[in-house]
Amino acid sequence: MIADLGNEKRALRAELRQRRRTRTTTERDADTEALTATLQRFAEERQVRSIALYLSAPDEPNVRPFLDWAFEHHVRVLLPITREDGLLDWAVGDGSSETEGLAGMPEVVGEVLSPLAINDVDAILAPAAAVGHDGVRMGWGRGYYDKTLGSMANRPPVYAVIFDSEYLDEVPREPHDEPVDGIITPSRIITFRS
């Protein structure tokens, strides 16, 4: 059963990765502009003063313009740094200096804070491959966010940032998969529970 779920997730991830890679520059630019506006609305409506975010890779929904906006508006941004033990450290950074992390993803260069630093943010914006209508988040299989979110006793609201087409009826769920409180896409903000 678990092996079947793993295979199902791998197949879905491959399909989603392929969809992301075939997006046109025009589609990416339009989604970036729309996503930036939606993220700004999210931060303003919730009066966000601190947020956990990530540096988006080229195929991911582009959160970098929102990151610039957050700094201009004095929102404290924590960005993840991968660790050998599968958890995430955090750093305050402006996103202008980056390196490649353990998993090959872009990471901020800055003063490293402990995994507990994320406890004090107003919201966590997490990357995802897809999210089901029930709030189940499927990541890319490395488990960093599932481990981090699963280790938090009182976690802030968590929203997955995805493209509109990645909000699915359902995604395969394994016991370690952590649900999210909502999604943010270029066109909308959906909260699953309050």
Side-chain angles (χ1 to χ4, degrees), residues 34-56:
L35 179 62
T36 301
T38 304
L39 288 167
Q40 289 171 0
R41 182 166 54 89
F42 175 85
E44 289 170 342
E45 286 175 354
R46 288 158 181 79
Q47 300 179 340
V48 171
R49 299 308 324 141
S50 64
I51 197 164
L53 192 56
Y54 58 94
L55 296 178
S56 45

Side-chain angles (χ1 to χ4, degrees), residues 79-90 101-103 107 112-116 118-119 142-152 178:
L79 298 163
I81 297 176
T82 52
R83 294 175 16 161
E84 294 280 348
D85 64 3
L87 290 175
L88 296 170
D89 281 328
W90 298 89
L102 293 176
E107 291 185 357
V112 178
L113 308 172
S114 81
L116 299 177
I118 196 175
N119 291 343
R142 294 181 204 99
Y144 286 102
Y145 276 87
D146 286 322
K147 287 178 187 145
T148 297
L149 298 175
S151 71
M152 299 177 75
E178 287 292 321

Side-chain angles (χ1 to χ4, degrees), residues 164-192:
D164 288 293
S165 63
E166 296 164 348
Y167 182 45
L168 308 175
D169 288 338
E170 64 180 355
V171 298
R173 182 177 190 176
E174 293 178 275
H176 65 269
D177 291 329
E178 287 292 321
V180 292
D181 300 296
I183 62 166
I184 300 175
T185 74
S187 72
R188 58 195 165 170
I189 299 165
I190 296 176
T191 301
F192 300 125

Side-chain angles (χ1 to χ4, degrees), residues 19-40:
R19 272 196 231 163
R20 283 186 175 189
R21 288 183 177 147
T22 59
R23 296 170 59 75
T24 67
T25 301
T26 302
E27 289 171 323
R28 287 178 196 198
D29 290 348
D31 276 341
T32 296
E33 185 175 331
L35 179 62
T36 301
T38 304
L39 288 167
Q40 289 171 0

Side-chain angles (χ1 to χ4, degrees), residues 91-122:
V92 176
D94 60 8
S96 63
S97 299
E98 62 185 73
T99 187
E100 186 174 298
L102 293 176
M105 298 300 287
E107 291 185 357
V108 69
V109 174
E111 179 188 350
V112 178
L113 308 172
S114 81
L116 299 177
I118 196 175
N119 291 343
D120 298 325
V121 298
D122 296 323

